[in-house]
Amino acid sequence: MPVASGGTRRPGEIEAATNGRQQNVIPVVHITTPADPEPKVKWFWEIGSYLGLNPQPKNLQEVLEMRKHQDVTLPVNYVLENSQTRLLLIDDIDRASPQHLANVLPYFDYLRDKLRISIIYCGTGASHRLHQARIMAQDLIRVSAENRARLKQASLPDPSSSSPSHKALLPVTWLHPLPLDTKEDETFRRVLASFEADLSLYRLEENALSKHAVILHQRTGGYFKALAYVVSTAAVLAIRSGSENITEKEIDTAIAGLR
């Protein structure tokens, strides 16, 4: 399960810090991304439900009554602080678009910075969604020229004016693409050579991958995850066909799977 973290803790660390389990202490809060993540209040209500601040309505009258008191931000903050919550786990983050997250991230930043609550986002593409959300919120201080170009092609905002504060950033790892070979950096070809050395194909030609470095870089963008997928898929195709060698044909077929 992919996750992105706003600060993680080792198992048992919370209990150790509080001298074991205590009454009226809620060290971990686990919520699910709202089915409708557009309004921020839906996120507050998810946390409130876990804390028992807004139990499930029993009838239509209670539903209508609850709608009169939608903002539970202050009660939620009060309970989180006084119950010594130290970890918020947000599941099914793939329900939310980067724009949804960009709108609610300032609140989660508040929980982290003011209440010292670690945040873990769990779900498909969690890190990618958070990166994009930070960019949309113009809160990412370093984005490479390659990433800016990709964002422009995808019609996403260019974070040319970014937050000067490191504290506002969610501490997740930003993975830059491997550059195509330059005089100063031959990382991409060294990566391809490492793949070639590790492939267990009986008739693998010398420099089978390296001679296709340009097209592999163009089609994968230089990202290791995409490159690993293409190489492993091409190797499987080579084994299934009995050729035991990776040629342009296997590479093209594997690349097609990225689209």
Side-chain angles (χ1 to χ4, degrees):
M1 174 68 75
V3 299
S5 169
T8 58
R9 296 175 178 272
R10 295 184 297 274
E13 183 177 344
I14 295 176
E15 288 80 1
T18 55
N19 297 318
R21 297 194 176 188
Q22 306 288 329
Q23 284 189 338
N24 302 320
V25 171
I26 309 174
V28 179
V29 171
H30 177 200
I31 69 169
T32 301
T33 300
D36 178 14
E38 177 68 28
K40 289 172 62 175
V41 69
K42 292 293 183 70
W43 297 82
F44 304 148
W45 274 76
E46 287 291 331
I47 300 175
S49 294
Y50 186 92
L51 298 174
L53 295 175
N54 52 332
Q56 292 295 324
K58 298 178 181 178
N59 50 52
L60 179 59
Q61 184 60 38
E62 288 192 3
V63 172
L64 297 176
E65 185 66 26
M66 290 168 65
R67 288 182 178 178
K68 298 179 182 178
H69 310 284
Q70 289 192 348
D71 192 353
V72 293
T73 309
L74 290 178
V76 164
N77 291 349
Y78 177 85
V79 174
L80 289 177
E81 183 173 10
N82 287 274
S83 62
Q84 302 178 47
T85 299
R86 290 295 175 266
L87 177 64
L88 173 61
L89 173 62
I90 305 175
D91 216 340
D92 294 334
I93 201 66
D94 45 290
R95 290 184 182 179
S97 69
Q99 184 61 60
H100 295 150
L101 289 173
N103 292 334
V104 78
L105 278 179
Y107 175 68
F108 293 139
D109 289 342
Y110 165 81
L111 295 181
R112 187 185 70 248
D113 296 337
K114 301 298 183 181
L115 303 186
R116 314 301 299 171
I117 297 176
S118 298
I119 315 289
I120 294 181
Y121 303 86
C122 190
T124 304
S127 293
H128 175 73
R129 289 173 189 273
L130 286 172
H131 291 323
Q132 297 301 318
R134 286 294 177 190
I135 291 168
M136 289 181 174
Q138 295 189 345
D139 202 12
L140 191 65
I141 60 173
R142 291 184 304 173
V143 179
S144 68
E146 296 93 339
N147 286 332
R148 284 199 296 271
R150 289 176 177 282
L151 292 170
K152 185 175 181 180
Q153 292 176 0
S155 299
L156 292 174
D158 182 348
S160 55
S161 59
S162 55
S163 169
S165 171
H166 290 264
K167 294 181 179 179
L169 292 174
L170 191 70
V172 295
T173 302
W174 183 271
L175 299 177
H176 292 285
L178 298 171
L180 191 59
D181 298 347
T182 64
K183 293 182 179 179
E184 296 79 18
D185 194 334
E186 296 183 351
T187 302
F188 192 72
R189 287 192 185 275
R190 289 202 301 270
V191 169
L192 293 181
S194 296
F195 275 120
E196 291 167 349
D198 291 338
L199 286 172
S200 299
L201 297 175
Y202 294 121
R203 290 184 287 275
L204 185 67
E205 296 178 358
E206 186 177 1
N207 299 323
L209 298 176
S210 300
K211 63 185 178 184
H212 299 295
V214 174
I215 189 171
L216 283 170
H217 191 274
Q218 289 175 344
R219 297 301 179 85
T220 64
Y223 285 96
F224 186 84
K225 182 178 180 180
L227 179 63
Y229 169 83
V230 170
V231 173
S232 60
T233 301
V236 170
L237 293 172
I239 293 172
R240 288 180 174 177
S241 68
S243 69
E244 294 289 335
N245 183 38
I246 295 179
T247 66
E248 188 172 352
K249 176 182 177 181
E250 285 79 18
I251 290 175
D252 288 342
T253 303
I255 288 174
L258 288 175
R259 298 171 183 169

